[in-house]
Amino acid sequence: MTLKFKASDVSDGGMHTFEVGDQKVLVTRDGEDFHAFDALCPHAGADLGGGVRCGSRIVCPWHHATFHAGNGSLIEPPALEGLKQYRVKRDGESLSVDLDDEIKPQPPKPSHEDHHTVIIGGGASGFMAAQTLRHGGYAGKIIMLTAENRAPYDRTALSKAYLSGKKPADKLALGGPDWAKENKIDLREGVKVTKLDRDAHEVHLDGDTLGFDAVIVATGATPNTLSIPGAELDGQYQLRSFRDAEKLKEAAQGKNIVVIGSSFIGLEAASSLVEGAKSVTVIGKDAEIMSRALTPKVGRAIRKLHEDKGVKFHLDAEVAAIEGPQKAEAVRLKSGETVKADLVLLGIGVKPNSDLLSDLANEKGAVPVDAHLLVAPNVYAVGDIALAPTVLGEMRVEHWRVALQEGMAAAQSILESSDLEKMDQRVPFFWTQQYGKSLRYVGHAESLDDTHLWGNPDELKFIEFAFKDARAVAASGMGMDKDLAAFEELLRLGRAPGAADIRKGEFSLVERLKG
């Protein structure tokens, strides 16, 4: 198939999606240079033409994966690869793109042939580090050690598509089922690392020792547990690993489910399980759901999505005990009220697995790193354990996209890549999906004492801004994807609008980005 268009169809410095049969092609323009790509984001299939263009960056409207407007290469996850590119031919003002004429990217020059990198952890950060090393031409040895008996997989799908039955287990693998073999990764599953000797450049396992030139510690986090009467009873579940999700999915059908915790993981699980459950009740200690990220007005609108599906809530409530002779049968609140529970799901946060770097961690278990993710010479800490710099300052973020960013940045640092975008140049972002509706959150706010709302949360079309020192530092939103993508770029550039400007009334963040 061939796409034909006029030069005037694409604005200078802009982009446009064209339909060719059942395919979509994205064309970018910079002066007289035109480039053509697959228009659908390889992460989740969003039309990139509905996103924003900022200089050489194409930002996906859904999950903010970012690609180079000239060659389609990946700049920011959660996409794991760049865009397929096609050759553009020009005859005067007429241009054409033959979809059989693909431009294959030039493989990078091999480097680090005698180098050895050990990656401790098979989650998002570890996967992205290995992927970036290989895609960047790293020709040395890569060993990945994971405690799970499973290759790296999409953990974000566990509480969403996997629990709801929309994505089977064999579709969860990151990079595909043969990723490790195809990328020459020595993946060792079910492995426990007992010690990291930074001075000797050694990783100690049960019965084995590995040397390294660089080591990436990506050990993730462990779910918190309750310290109350009945905490030892059977019938209580967590949701962190595939095995957790598998056991929960098998046990939940037709049951009275109580979710303890009213933040993202618990609510995603509630939305995924309610259809097949006898009942779902969420217990939260705060006065409204997701209170660390959303004001009560927005939280109420999201809660209504759940209540309309039959989920019940006990908020501003504390759990006093889990009751039952051998397994959980009820949850008793401090108010004295009891909630019937055949199954209890704990969604009460996590703690970083920083034992291998405990001497460098702070009192909360977070490991301070620099903008290259270095914690010591040739030692990198990434993902849930890392206290890393961002454009908004130093923070430890437990979200998928940030974990991928950190793995990518650490690998680019090892490669000494010209594409290196350090962590202090990156913006935190996460999303949650409940009942097919996506809430997206850009930036980071320590408090919600100073906020302003555009739009109407009850109509699920809004952006809520949070301010610090009279500047916008975070925004959550639904139904205004393009503006939210533009807001991330404004934050990255240090051009986020001020509180006074935002309070004057709604304006286009996309146009502000162009200005």
Side-chain angles (χ1 to χ4, degrees):
M1 289 187 291
T2 301
L3 164 67
K4 295 182 179 181
F5 63 98
K6 298 292 185 182
S8 58
D9 293 337
V10 186
S11 61
D12 189 8
M15 59 183 181
H16 184 76
T17 295
F18 296 91
E19 292 192 12
V20 189
D22 59 355
Q23 287 188 247
K24 290 185 176 182
V25 178
L26 181 75
V27 177
T28 64
R29 178 179 182 178
D30 291 285
E32 298 306 307
D33 292 329
F34 292 80
H35 302 278
F37 311 96
D38 265 353
L40 302 186
C41 179
H43 172 242
D47 181 352
L48 294 170
V52 297
R53 172 96 191 263
C54 180
S56 62
R57 297 162 65 93
I58 300 167
V59 184
C60 174
W62 289 359
H63 307 113
H64 299 198
T66 305
F67 309 90
H68 195 283
N71 59 26
S73 60
L74 180 65
I75 297 174
E76 285 278 25
L80 306 178
E81 58 190 0
L83 303 175
K84 183 184 290 186
Q85 184 176 12
Y86 305 104
R87 199 174 314 280
V88 179
K89 294 181 180 179
R90 183 168 187 176
D91 182 8
E93 286 299 294
S94 298
L95 297 99
S96 63
V97 178
D98 182 347
L99 298 190
D100 290 325
D101 192 3
E102 183 182 344
I103 299 175
K104 297 287 187 181
Q106 287 293 318
K109 183 180 178 181
S111 67
H112 297 73
E113 289 87 346
D114 299 321
H115 201 266
H116 181 193
T117 296
V118 175
I119 301 171
I120 306 173
S125 287
F127 168 86
M128 199 65 186
Q131 173 106 331
T132 304
L133 285 172
R134 285 295 186 236
H135 285 194
Y138 185 91
K141 187 175 184 180
I142 300 176
I143 295 178
M144 176 179 281
L145 309 171
T146 174
E148 291 192 58
N149 291 298
R150 195 173 185 87
Y153 57 89
D154 184 354
R155 201 183 301 276
T156 67
L158 295 182
S159 56
K160 304 181 185 79
Y162 176 73
L163 274 189
S164 66
K166 294 176 182 176
K167 180 177 273 192
D170 60 2
K171 299 295 184 183
L172 295 177
L174 290 173
D178 299 319
W179 169 78
K181 181 179 179 181
E182 291 169 355
N183 287 276
K184 297 181 180 178
I185 310 294
D186 182 357
L187 175 63
R188 304 186 187 183
E189 301 173 18
V191 173
K192 180 175 175 57
V193 176
T194 58
K195 180 182 178 183
L196 172 60
D197 190 328
R198 300 193 299 271
D199 294 330
H201 281 208
E202 290 179 342
V203 174
H204 294 254
L205 318 176
D206 285 332
D208 196 7
T209 301
L210 303 173
F212 63 82
D213 295 298
V215 62
I216 300 174
V217 183
T219 42
T222 298
N224 292 326
T225 56
L226 293 170
S227 297
I228 57 173
E232 76 287 350
L233 293 175
D234 290 340
Q236 299 179 62
Y237 295 78
Q238 297 170 328
L239 185 51
R240 180 71 181 177
S241 68
F242 172 77
R243 184 62 186 136
D244 291 339
E246 187 178 44
K247 290 191 293 184
L248 176 61
K249 187 177 180 181
E250 290 171 356
Q253 197 71 20
K255 299 294 177 58
N256 293 298
I257 299 171
V258 172
V259 179
I260 300 177
S262 58
S263 193
F264 297 96
I265 291 296
L267 292 171
E268 287 174 359
S271 71
S272 297
L273 294 171
V274 66
E275 189 173 334
K278 186 173 183 180
S279 70
V280 175
T281 303
V282 175
I283 298 172
K285 65 180 182 180
D286 297 316
E288 192 49 83
I289 65 171
M290 297 187 286
S291 60
R292 290 179 60 188
L294 308 175
T295 60
K297 184 173 184 178
V298 176
R300 282 194 298 272
I302 307 301
R303 173 160 55 91
K304 187 174 185 302
L305 282 175
H306 289 268
E307 290 173 335
D308 287 347
K309 297 292 185 178
V311 178
K312 298 180 177 65
F313 287 85
H314 289 268
L315 299 175
D316 210 4
E318 270 193 80
V319 176
I322 309 295
E323 297 183 333
Q326 292 182 318
K327 67 177 292 295
E329 294 182 358
V331 175
R332 177 162 50 85
L333 306 180
K334 285 195 173 178
S335 65
E337 187 175 0
T338 60
V339 182
K340 183 175 176 58
D342 302 314
L343 182 156
V344 176
L345 173 60
L346 305 180
I348 52 176
V350 298
K351 54 188 175 186
N353 295 330
S354 52
D355 290 354
L356 295 177
L357 297 168
S358 59
D359 61 316
L360 301 175
N362 65 18
E363 67 282 358
K364 295 182 179 180
V367 179
V369 297
D370 68 10
H372 295 272
L373 283 305
L374 277 165
V375 64
N378 304 305
V379 180
Y380 299 81
V382 296
D384 291 345
I385 68 171
L387 180 64
T390 72
V391 296
L392 294 167
E394 194 176 59
M395 60 188 72
R396 187 180 73 84
V397 182
E398 297 167 357
H399 296 296
W400 184 257
R401 200 261 202 139
V402 173
L404 292 169
Q405 285 177 319
E406 291 177 350
M408 188 178 199
Q412 289 174 339
S413 180
I414 292 172
L415 289 165
E416 299 178 322
S417 171
S418 60
D419 295 328
L420 174 62
E421 189 165 322
K422 297 184 294 184
M423 279 307 298
D424 59 1
Q425 299 168 318
R426 298 176 187 255
V427 179
F429 167 81
F430 71 86
W431 74 94
T432 179
Q433 189 172 53
Q434 299 166 33
Y435 307 106
K437 306 294 184 182
S438 287
L439 172 79
R440 317 190 204 287
Y441 186 101
V442 173
H444 179 76
E446 289 291 341
S447 79
L448 297 175
D449 295 336
D450 190 7
T451 63
H452 187 75
L453 184 66
W454 285 356
N456 186 351
D458 293 331
E459 295 175 359
L460 305 182
K461 187 174 183 180
F462 68 90
I463 294 181
E464 182 174 58
F465 299 92
F467 307 114
K468 180 181 180 182
D469 299 328
R471 303 295 301 179
V473 294
S476 61
M478 298 179 78
M480 299 177 72
D481 296 342
K482 199 165 185 173
D483 278 297
L484 209 58
F487 179 72
E488 178 170 330
E489 290 299 289
L490 288 166
L491 269 182
R492 182 181 65 84
L493 296 168
R495 292 171 44 204
D501 202 5
I502 288 172
R503 286 194 169 100
K504 288 177 183 176
E506 294 184 35
F507 56 86
S508 171
L509 293 168
V510 177
E511 292 303 314
R512 177 65 62 90
L513 181 61
K514 294 177 182 177

